[in-house]
Every structure is written in C-alpha cells, then in structure tokens.
Amino acid sequence: METTRRRAQQASNGKASEHTEQSAQWGRAWEVDWFSLISVVGLLIFAPFIVFYFVMACDQFECSVSEPLLQLCRGDVTLLSIWARAPSFTWTAAKIYAIWVGFQVFLYLCVPDVTHKFIPGYVGGVQDGARTPAGLINKYEINGLQCWLITHALWFANAHYFHWFSPTIIFDNWIPLMWCANLLGYAVSTFAFVKAYVFPTNPEDCKFTGNVFYNYMMGIEFNPRIGEWFDFKLFFNGRPGIVAWTLINLSYMSKQQELYGTVTNSMILVNILQGIYVLDFFWNEAWYLKTIDICHDHFGWYLGWGDCVWLPYLYTLQGLYLVYHPVQLSDAHALAILLLGLLGYYIFRSTNHQKDLFRRQDGSCTIWGREASFIECSYRSAPDGASHRSKLLTSGFVGRGSPLQLHRGPHGLVGLLRRLRVRPRPAVLLHRLHDHPAGPPLRARRAPLRQQVREGLETLHGRRSLQTDPWSVLEEGEPGLRRVLCVFLPIENCVLKTQSCSL
C-alpha cells in the first residue's frame, strides 16, 4: 500500500517506459519470475479445458470425473470422438447470450438504484470506492440488488404467465452458451489489454511488467472504464455471472422437474444456500468496493474470462450434477446440511461485520463485549507520498480467543463451511500463489522463509512474549515474508511500517 512504484507511462512507440520506484509495491508484482510466468501460461492454456472437461463429463459421462480418463486409457473413446459429441456453437445460443448481456448492461447503466430509498439498511445509489494506487477515488452506481430483483421478477413472470421461453432454456443450451461465454471472456480481456496501451482510463494506475502473458492474464489497468459509469471490474465481477448464478440453478431445478416430475430436497438446498450467498453479495455491494477484488486486482483475463466462464460454469456444478443424479435426502440429513450452511454463512457475515465495524469506527468499538484490540501500522500513499496510519484487528473472530483458532482467522474453518454449502474458488489461490515479487530461487529461500513466517505469525498472535516492535520480525526478514503475511493474515488492509502492501 506504500505506493512507491514504477509509474508506467506511454512512450511514442507504444511501449511503457518506467521511472524508478522506491522500495515497496502496490498490488500485484512489477516483475515476473519464471514460476509466475509458468503459472500464468499454464492457467491460460489449461483453465478453459478444465471447464470444458467438467461440463463434458456431465454431458457425456453422467458427471463422472474419472470415466472419461478411464475410457481414454482403454481406447473406448478418443479425444476427437469426445469433441465431436460435444454440442457446438449455435446462433440460437449466441442470441440468448447477447440478449442476456445486453439486458444486464442496460440495467447497470440506465436504471439508477431506487431500492435503497425504501429498503431499510440497504446501501445503494452512487457510492465512493477505495482510493486507487494513484490516489483517485472512483464513484460507482450501486444497483446490483435492484438488477437481481428485476431479472428474477421477469424470470418468474415468464415461467408462470408470459411463457416467452422455457425455464429450462439455460440447461438446454448449456454447452453452446459456454462457447458464447468464452468468446465474451476473451473479447473483453483482449479489449482491456489493448485499451491499456492505447487509451487507458488512468495511466498512473496502469502496471506494465514487460511480459505480455502476465499483463494479459493479470491485467494492466486498475479500473478500466468506458465513459463515466461503465466500470469493467464492477460489472463483470457482479454481472452477468453472479446474477446468472441463481438463474442457472433455477433452470436446473426446472429441468429436474421436467425429467422426473419432482424436485428433490437436495436441489432445493442448493438453490437456497447459494441464493443466500448471491443475495448477500448484492446486499453488501457497496461494502464490496473496499474488498480485494476491487482494491487489489487489475482487470485482465483473470477477472474478465473468469467471471464470464469459470464462475457460472464451475460454481454451479452441484446443481448440474443433481439434474443427472437426483438425490432425495432424509429429513435429518437435509436439516443438518441446511444448518451447517447457515452456520457457515453466519460466521462469514459476522466476521466481515466485525472487520467493517472496526474499520468504520477506527478501532473505537467493542467486539463480543470487549474493547477491540489491534496493531497500529503506517503507510504512505502515492503520488503525494503522504504518511497515513492504519489498524489491524486482532480480536473477535480473527483474534486469539476466537473459537476458530484452528486456522487463525475466518478463512479456514469458515471457508470450509462456506464451500460445503456454496462453491470452491481455486482461481484465487492460484492467483495468490503466482502473484509475488521476484526474488532468489525458490529452493534457496524456502527454509528461511518458512521459519520466518512461523515466527511472525506466532509473534502477531501472542504465542511468545513480544520484546520489540511488533513489525520488527517483518522488517528484518525477506521481502517475500512481508508479502506472504499480507496474503495470509485474515485482514482487509495489511500495511507494514516500512515496505507496505494493501489487500
């Protein structure tokens, strides 16, 4: 977060010239080592095939993940025969997808939010985002909940009254729609990549590494925009993928009803628990402006393609499986799963509420009836280099006394509970693994880095007495240690006293 950085500027030949940065880095790496490059190229090559593999396994092998590989080994099928059996691109699917995306763009740009005026507690309308590395504060029209409500109201009106299209339309065109989603994902990622070189929204918020693959994957522009209000990052993070998430599940439920004449309680659970997560996202969309996706990530293929393809096609696999394999749970099992999912959601939301309350009241609050404890740290912002102070919460669900001490924060046990009821998110882990500054060879730094991480965590969580400044362990260590702690500590804003970063 100490935004001492190389400021990328556009030279006349289209290449980025760089000024020398001071010491620390904001967000993703400026330089790309071989591990990062291999990870990026691997994701660019294999991620689309991973999505195709899972969807194809359900379409051709009754959702068996191992059966395609076993049949390939036995020679029962070939890659060409699998590809030939997969539904291809259709203009019908293209029309459906174009209407869908166009409708979401219309709702996002042309229908200002009014729900915040009559729904108590909901924060919508024009809101300020977090300060960018260049010191800008963008404004956003928060109308995600309204868009979700309008979209689903029209969906149910069509299903029960108008009958413009079948409620199973998404399932019936699932793989052809996947090709359309890939086209949009690659198109918007490529457009954002070219835009960063030709007409960036804010040149001082761009990051050029000199590596075309890393720039394409991780993005160059921080907040690419068209006009004043169309923000690529907010639109593609929230729409069309997350709005579609619940519609996809409803289409699965309709298909199950069509095929078997009934809807199983397991399918109802998937719709309820994942619907709660989606509604929570849009209810807290204004808060989402201060989270890592908006405050840290640049917009590239990782977000553009990931939100168009990875999210709607992998996060909804549970419902897709239940279409092919309907499961009717006993009442006891269904109730247990429902309570487990609600417990995970309660802890997840309570943890975020504690951190948000702590941030809004600058640490002057009580958590679980006790005064909040914290560590205070400093950082500098760019381009003015002004000094600021921030506080790191160390009590509540993220503190030592938490019942979740199993993982030192809310993102291990709670994450497990949430993923049992919602979905996995491997892209974030892969992003964090390869998103680190260049340093000495991995083998040379592995042992001392592991030891410093362990000592740093034990110090921050009070397992041994603290004789010096809390950040001394970090300042004396390798740059990689500071980066690792910023990634894995359960906090929203991790800023160290000398070389700082922001989450």
Side-chain angles (χ1 to χ4, degrees):
M1 190 166 170
E2 180 173 307
T3 55
T4 48
R5 68 200 190 289
R6 296 185 182 97
R7 182 178 300 170
Q9 295 180 335
Q10 291 299 110
S12 57
N13 60 0
K15 297 182 179 179
S17 62
E18 297 178 337
H19 297 297
T20 303
E21 68 174 350
Q22 299 170 16
S23 57
Q25 300 181 356
W26 176 293
R28 66 169 179 78
W30 282 104
E31 299 175 353
V32 184
D33 58 15
W34 282 105
F35 176 76
S36 299
L37 180 59
I38 292 172
S39 301
V40 164
V41 173
L43 281 174
L44 288 171
I45 294 174
F46 292 109
F49 289 100
I50 292 172
V51 175
F52 174 76
Y53 182 85
F54 279 103
V55 176
M56 173 276 301
C58 278
D59 182 61
Q60 300 182 24
F61 298 92
E62 297 185 347
C63 293
S64 172
V65 176
S66 59
E67 190 62 24
L69 297 177
L70 293 175
Q71 291 197 22
L72 281 170
C73 292
R74 293 196 300 261
D76 297 339
V77 298
T78 64
L79 291 176
L80 289 178
S81 67
I82 291 176
W83 180 261
R85 284 190 292 173
S88 60
F89 171 89
T90 66
W91 286 108
T92 298
K95 292 176 183 177
I96 295 170
Y97 198 73
I99 292 171
W100 164 250
V101 176
F103 181 61
Q104 291 305 310
V105 171
F106 169 77
L107 293 179
Y108 177 70
L109 288 178
C110 303
V111 187
D113 185 76
V114 296
T115 55
H116 69 280
K117 296 180 179 180
F118 58 85
I119 299 182
Y122 174 64
V123 179
V126 178
Q127 300 291 328
D128 289 339
R131 188 179 300 275
T132 72
L136 298 178
I137 297 179
N138 292 311
K139 291 189 177 295
Y140 298 85
E141 175 67 40
I142 300 300
N143 61 355
L145 181 62
Q146 177 176 274
C147 294
W148 188 89
L149 291 172
I150 293 174
T151 301
H152 285 71
L154 290 174
W155 174 274
F156 283 107
N158 168 77
H160 294 284
Y161 300 106
F162 301 121
H163 306 294
W164 294 323
F165 53 84
S166 169
T168 64
I169 188 172
I170 299 176
F171 177 89
D172 295 338
N173 294 274
W174 192 226
I175 295 183
L177 285 172
M178 182 179 68
W179 306 130
C180 300
N182 272 279
L183 288 174
L184 177 63
Y186 277 97
V188 72
S189 303
T190 303
F191 176 79
F193 178 77
V194 174
K195 177 181 179 300
Y197 285 92
V198 180
F199 56 102
T201 302
N202 181 28
E204 292 195 348
D205 274 329
C206 293
K207 267 194 172 182
F208 297 88
T209 64
N211 186 289
V212 64
F213 296 107
Y214 193 90
N215 286 345
Y216 184 77
M217 165 90 175
M218 300 309 303
I220 299 172
E221 280 199 84
F222 198 71
N223 289 107
R225 289 190 167 200
I226 297 295
E228 183 179 1
W229 293 106
F230 188 82
D231 185 271
F232 279 66
K233 196 186 293 185
L234 182 63
F235 177 79
F236 283 98
N237 270 336
R239 281 80 55 124
I242 295 185
V243 174
W245 189 345
T246 42
L247 290 182
I248 293 167
N249 285 337
L250 289 172
S251 184
Y252 291 157
M253 188 163 64
S254 299
K255 192 65 179 182
Q256 195 180 72
Q257 174 70 39
E258 178 185 288
L259 292 174
Y260 310 107
T262 186
V263 176
T264 62
N265 55 8
S266 58
M267 178 68 82
I268 294 173
L269 282 173
V270 167
N271 275 263
I272 291 175
L273 293 175
Q274 296 188 357
I276 289 173
Y277 180 85
V278 170
L279 277 174
D280 175 86
F281 172 85
F282 287 119
W283 182 269
N284 295 283
E285 191 175 18
W287 167 83
Y288 177 72
L289 297 178
K290 307 297 174 65
T291 60
I292 190 170
D293 288 348
I294 301 296
C295 297
H296 173 87
D297 293 332
H298 291 241
F299 187 85
W301 183 88
Y302 166 72
L303 288 179
W305 179 87
D307 290 327
C308 290
V309 181
W310 187 274
L311 187 155
Y313 277 85
L314 291 192
Y315 291 7
T316 61
L317 280 174
Q318 300 95 326
L320 183 61
Y321 175 87
L322 292 174
V323 173
Y324 292 94
H325 299 279
V327 176
Q328 182 67 25
L329 301 168
S330 68
D331 292 343
H333 287 164
L335 180 61
I337 292 173
L338 176 63
L339 293 177
L340 182 65
L342 294 177
L343 174 63
Y345 171 75
Y346 167 75
I347 300 175
F348 159 71
R349 176 46 49 209
S350 298
T351 303
N352 285 329
H353 172 71
Q354 289 177 358
K355 293 188 290 185
D356 185 56
L357 176 67
F358 177 81
R359 181 168 53 244
R360 284 188 289 105
Q361 298 190 8
D362 194 30
S364 301
C365 61
T366 58
I367 295 178
W368 292 346
R370 299 180 181 179
E371 185 178 348
S373 62
F374 57 86
I375 296 174
E376 190 167 6
C377 23
S378 63
Y379 65 94
R380 292 201 306 271
S381 60
D384 56 4
S387 179
H388 306 273
R389 301 196 68 80
S390 185
K391 296 175 181 178
L392 167 65
L393 178 65
T394 59
S395 60
F397 277 113
V398 300
R400 282 190 296 154
S402 169
L404 309 178
Q405 187 63 22
L406 169 68
H407 71 301
R408 303 179 185 271
H411 304 301
L413 177 59
V414 178
L416 175 61
L417 293 177
R418 288 177 54 216
R419 282 152 181 76
L420 285 174
R421 69 176 180 87
V422 182
R423 78 286 184 274
R425 198 176 182 187
V428 172
L429 175 60
L430 291 172
H431 165 51
R432 300 296 170 233
L433 285 176
H434 72 247
D435 186 16
H436 58 81
L442 182 61
R443 182 176 299 177
R445 70 187 183 196
R446 181 180 296 151
L449 180 58
R450 184 186 299 115
Q451 179 181 354
Q452 292 171 54
V453 169
R454 182 174 62 252
E455 292 178 355
L457 288 174
E458 289 175 352
T459 298
L460 291 177
H461 285 272
R463 286 204 168 186
R464 57 186 174 87
S465 60
L466 199 61
Q467 304 295 332
T468 59
D469 186 337
W471 297 110
S472 60
V473 176
L474 309 182
E475 294 172 356
E476 294 170 2
E478 303 175 27
L481 170 62
R482 292 184 283 270
R483 196 61 185 161
V484 168
L485 288 178
C486 283
V487 169
F488 288 104
L489 282 177
I491 54 179
E492 294 294 336
N493 294 292
C494 172
V495 284
L496 309 185
K497 194 170 275 187
T498 54
Q499 298 197 23
S500 307
C501 66
S502 172
L503 288 183

